[in-house]
Amino acid sequence: MALHIPFLSRLHLREYFALLLSVGLIVLESTIAVITLALPTPIIHFCYRITRRLFENLSSPSSRRSRQKTKREWSSIANASDFTELCEIQGYYAEEHIVQTGDGYLLGLHRLGWRRGEEHVRVNAGPGKGGIKKKVVYLHHGLLMNSEVWVCLTEKERCLPFELVDRGYDVWLGNNRGNKYSKKCIHTAPTSPEFWNFSMDQFAFHDIPDSIAYILSTTYQPSLSYIGFSQGTAQAFAALSIHPTLNDKIDVFIALAPAMSPKGLTSGIVDSFVKASPNVLFLAFGRRAILGSATMWQSILYPPIFIRLIDAALKFLFGWTASNITPHQKLASYPHLYSYTSTKSVVHWFQIIRNGVFQMYDDEAPNPIVSNRSKYYKVAKFPTRNIKTPIVLVYGGSDSLVDINVMLKELPRHTVAKEIPHYEHLDFLWAQSVDQLVFPHVFEALDEYTSTLNGVVEPQKERQLRLPGRSRGLLLESSALPGPEGDDAEDESSSSPTLFKAKKFSQNTRRMSFTENPGDVPNPQSMSAQLSRLPYPTSSYAAAVERQASPTQPTTKFPPPAAKVPVRTMADSPTGSVDASHTTAQTSTSRPEGWWSSDEVAGTGHTESSDSIYTEKNSDDSQASILKEVEEAES
């Protein structure tokens, strides 16, 4: 029987060696950062020229020609100083706003409310002030980022905020406290440790709800749609779970590369930090901003070398290859990748990874000697199952930070999950095919849960409560497919919009045509067909872009609601198509995707079908008529 030493026996000997080695690397990096900060600007420029000359000499002639050919595309974006300049490059006008949180932090907000050529139009100015009303969409970035990551793409068609603006939305982008646009507080200065004493708890209790309240007050709208990336999704999960009234202000929550309880890090060295104690990061990075020297490396390294350094770090930490992002897109976006945040925020994530629970920050360091600590102390979990807002998860099958099974267990029953098999984490921001594989799911969710009625925004879930039979019968039975075999049907119905005409992606997919008479209500699709959907093909998306309204058109038009395209479940097939994204509705009931009932919204649990609702209503009407006849007879 091996001797158990309370502290030394917590890790294996090789993990302690990795821990000491990583601490040594951090000390070396910090030392270099201090030396670099003390160097004058001419010496920094000299280092930059040396790395450029070295890289050019080692590069092949073809790679040098390729970089020169695409330099015009990425250089202006990489050298842009701020968010508004990035938008001006693509011809969009952006507003800057400041919101003060309840605990005194000043957060920067950016607004893209106007199409190109529409800057003179008043948007969401309020009652009696003229202008036009637009549906509001809010986007929030991830860890160690700011709002620039959404708009630093080389083509505007792959930029989600610009596409949303062109589709008629009033787009707002938020920033966390401590980053480039939110580095100020009315109580403390950013040079003090008190300024950086925040974690995801403060993001959830203050930053997200205060930013949303400011946006709704400014735009005079009752609700907005939330789109988050990475930690931006975790902040929304946390905020919606602890602020019940916030659920009424968000009509749909779209989570791109969602983060709640990551499986861990690929690197054994960094993973040793998590297993040993997350508080070790305080010893390595201090209690202020983490990785403050990242800007130093960017200033002294030639851009192609800098992006290779970032790729190597991402491969080392998370196992990402970044093969879906083109080299010139990396040159444009990687300079905007990093922004300041607190060391405590990263420690909070390491606590979540270590415990496997999406919990609030643990202020008490674990005592290795006391084994029954949990008997007297329990860290509060974020009650994410209490969320009433519709949730749509779009995650990558190759994303090491997403454990979809654990996530779905902690989310409410109405959560819908859609997988893009070959996508990694950063692909949801900058992949070459992001407009073909990710954007259609975002637009579909926005169309499904929100719409406009006489210029007034109305949540889709409320309309379904008033018309419970409306969302049933949107899918045809597989036996009703046109043609002798259904799978081999050549043409879609002529009444279907061009946007929803899907091509055949693989032998696992089924196709359908929609009824030309809107009054005909087909039977609901089978359960196996409800579990999967086809994404929009590339050609359909291009056709949709061509049908966009003129930029100078002052009116707001929204696309038609997304149609349901039934396919066979991908779980039944041995292999799936890699060219198209697999979308799976992860629900615990047999309801069609997007179906809501008053019981579910109220949180009472059991949900009845619309047929039973109408049956009970007719029964109540018949009883009321009988009672009325009896009263008339007695009188």
Side-chain angles (χ1 to χ4, degrees):
M1 182 176 180
L3 177 64
H4 176 75
I5 303 175
F7 180 77
L8 296 179
S9 298
R10 295 177 64 194
L11 298 177
H12 193 273
L13 182 61
R14 65 174 179 272
E15 293 174 332
Y16 277 108
F17 175 76
L19 188 62
L20 293 176
L21 179 61
S22 57
V23 171
L25 293 175
I26 291 173
V27 172
L28 177 62
E29 192 268 347
S30 301
T31 304
I32 296 175
V34 172
I35 295 175
T36 305
L37 292 175
L39 292 178
T41 303
I43 296 181
I44 296 177
H45 291 168
F46 174 76
C47 295
Y48 179 87
R49 290 193 297 269
I50 290 297
T51 56
R52 179 179 62 183
R53 184 177 304 174
L54 178 64
F55 185 82
E56 293 292 345
N57 292 334
L58 296 177
S59 300
S60 62
S62 60
S63 63
R64 288 197 296 268
R65 288 193 299 268
S66 177
R67 284 195 303 273
Q68 289 298 325
K69 184 178 180 180
T70 60
K71 186 175 182 179
R72 182 177 298 179
E73 300 179 15
W74 61 263
S75 60
S76 59
I77 297 175
N79 297 323
S81 60
D82 57 14
F83 182 90
T84 56
E85 185 175 345
L86 286 168
C87 295
E88 289 173 357
I89 292 174
Q90 300 291 353
Y92 291 87
Y93 170 73
E95 281 185 351
E96 295 183 285
H97 293 252
I98 301 293
V99 55
Q100 179 177 328
T101 65
D103 55 349
Y105 283 80
L106 304 181
L107 310 180
L109 294 176
H110 294 108
R111 184 186 190 185
L112 289 167
W114 301 266
R115 299 185 181 100
R116 289 180 293 184
E118 195 184 54
E119 294 81 3
H120 64 283
V121 180
R122 298 173 68 92
V123 175
N124 291 334
K129 296 184 179 180
I132 58 178
K133 293 182 180 180
K134 292 186 176 183
K135 182 71 182 69
V136 180
V137 177
Y138 177 76
L139 290 83
H140 204 89
H141 59 80
L143 179 66
L144 292 165
M145 296 179 178
N146 60 54
S147 55
E148 293 177 8
V149 298
W150 295 102
V151 293
C152 58
L153 289 97
T154 53
E155 296 91 16
K156 92 169 189 62
E157 291 78 15
R158 295 189 298 112
C159 180
L160 182 58
F162 296 157
E163 287 298 292
L164 290 172
V165 170
D166 289 340
R167 293 173 71 92
Y169 291 96
D170 186 0
V171 182
W172 292 71
L173 302 96
N175 287 282
N176 284 339
R177 61 181 65 193
N179 76 5
K180 177 179 178 179
Y181 298 101
S182 307
K183 206 172 181 180
K184 195 170 183 60
C185 179
I186 63 175
H187 301 304
T188 59
T191 55
S192 65
E194 290 77 14
F195 178 91
W196 301 99
N197 186 26
F198 59 81
S199 67
M200 192 158 37
D201 294 356
Q202 283 68 41
F203 299 153
F205 277 101
H206 298 288
D207 292 11
I208 296 298
D210 292 346
S211 297
I212 291 177
Y214 175 88
I215 294 170
L216 295 180
S217 175
T218 304
T219 58
Y220 298 91
Q221 297 297 321
S223 64
L224 53 78
S225 302
Y226 186 106
I227 302 175
F229 167 76
S230 189
Q231 182 180 275
T233 68
Q235 294 175 204
F237 288 136
L240 288 169
S241 67
I242 60 180
H243 294 284
T245 57
L246 188 62
N247 289 263
D248 298 328
K249 300 177 182 179
I250 300 178
D251 43 51
V252 63
F253 169 30
I254 304 171
L256 305 180
M260 178 180 288
S261 182
K263 294 177 287 188
L265 303 180
T266 304
S267 170
I269 295 178
V270 181
D271 203 44
S272 298
F273 276 98
V274 182
K275 293 179 180 178
S277 174
N279 293 333
V280 172
L281 288 180
F282 287 129
L283 300 176
F285 298 102
R287 292 186 175 270
R288 292 185 175 90
I290 192 171
L291 294 177
S293 61
T295 55
M296 174 270 299
W297 292 108
Q298 183 178 346
S299 63
I300 67 174
L301 294 177
Y302 187 50
I305 296 180
F306 178 72
I307 67 169
R308 281 164 173 76
L309 181 64
I310 298 296
D311 283 341
L314 296 176
K315 178 69 174 179
F316 173 74
L317 294 174
F318 310 109
W320 301 337
T321 61
S323 58
N324 296 319
I325 306 176
T326 60
H328 70 275
Q329 178 60 65
K330 295 177 183 179
L331 290 168
S333 56
Y334 278 10
H336 303 279
L337 176 61
Y338 171 79
S339 193
Y340 296 101
T341 193
S342 66
T343 304
K344 187 176 181 180
S345 300
V346 182
V347 171
H348 191 175
W349 272 114
F350 278 6
Q351 290 180 352
I352 293 173
I353 294 173
R354 182 187 185 190
N355 298 316
V357 177
F358 189 53
Q359 63 183 28
M360 299 182 185
Y361 184 80
D362 187 359
D363 295 286
E364 294 189 12
N367 188 346
I369 300 178
V370 180
S371 60
N372 59 345
R373 174 175 179 261
S374 60
K375 183 177 180 181
Y376 304 99
Y377 176 68
K378 179 177 176 61
V379 183
K381 293 174 55 179
F382 289 109
T384 51
R385 292 183 182 177
N386 298 341
I387 299 176
K388 299 299 185 294
T389 297
I391 302 173
V392 178
L393 309 178
V394 186
Y395 67 99
S398 301
D399 190 351
S400 60
L401 293 182
V402 175
D403 192 337
I404 192 64
N405 295 325
V406 174
M407 189 176 300
L408 291 174
K409 291 179 181 178
E410 298 300 325
L411 291 176
R413 296 168 55 216
H414 57 260
T415 300
V416 176
K418 303 181 179 183
E419 178 188 2
I420 302 180
H422 59 289
Y423 260 38
E424 297 172 346
H425 206 67
L426 294 178
D427 294 343
F428 287 89
L429 290 176
W430 302 322
Q432 182 66 20
S433 58
V434 67
D435 56 330
Q436 304 165 18
L437 299 182
V438 177
F439 290 5
H441 297 313
V442 175
F443 301 150
E444 179 189 24
L446 293 174
D447 296 340
E448 182 174 359
Y449 293 102
T450 61
S451 70
T452 57
L453 183 62
N454 297 327
V456 180
V457 177
E458 181 183 17
Q460 176 78 1
K461 60 183 180 182
E462 294 182 3
R463 298 203 322 277
Q464 288 181 346
L465 288 177
R466 289 194 294 273
L467 301 175
R470 184 173 180 178
S471 62
R472 297 185 71 250
L474 295 178
L475 304 176
L476 291 173
E477 291 284 359
S478 57
S479 60
L481 293 172
E485 296 180 356
D487 288 334
D488 299 324
E490 293 294 329
D491 297 321
E492 304 268 353
S493 171
S494 60
S495 63
S496 301
T498 307
L499 179 62
F500 308 121
K501 292 183 179 180
K503 294 183 179 180
K504 188 172 182 181
F505 286 92
S506 70
Q507 61 182 358
N508 300 317
T509 60
R510 299 201 67 145
R511 300 162 62 186
M512 63 167 291
S513 64
F514 301 98
T515 56
E516 298 196 13
N517 184 5
D520 298 336
V521 181
N523 295 325
Q525 183 67 302
S526 61
M527 181 57 185
S528 61
Q530 293 175 14
L531 292 178
S532 296
R533 285 191 190 178
L534 268 179
Y536 300 85
T538 306
S539 58
S540 298
Y541 178 75
V545 173
E546 294 176 358
R547 295 197 311 273
Q548 297 278 334
S550 174
T552 58
Q553 190 175 357
T555 59
T556 303
K557 294 183 179 181
F558 289 83
K564 302 289 189 297
V565 183
V567 298
R568 291 175 181 170
T569 173
M570 295 297 181
D572 298 335
S573 61
T575 58
S577 175
V578 181
D579 297 331
S581 64
H582 300 179
T583 60
T584 306
Q586 300 283 355
T587 60
S588 58
T589 64
S590 59
R591 297 164 297 176
E593 183 180 323
W595 166 250
W596 282 72
S597 73
S598 58
D599 289 337
E600 181 168 352
V601 175
T604 54
H606 181 65
T607 304
E608 297 180 354
S609 65
S610 59
D611 293 337
S612 62
I613 294 174
Y614 287 130
T615 302
E616 292 179 5
K617 185 177 184 302
N618 295 334
S619 177
D620 294 339
D621 293 342
S622 61
Q623 293 178 4
S625 61
I626 294 174
L627 292 175
K628 184 175 181 181
E629 293 176 358
V630 172
E631 291 176 356
E632 291 176 353
E634 291 179 351
S635 61

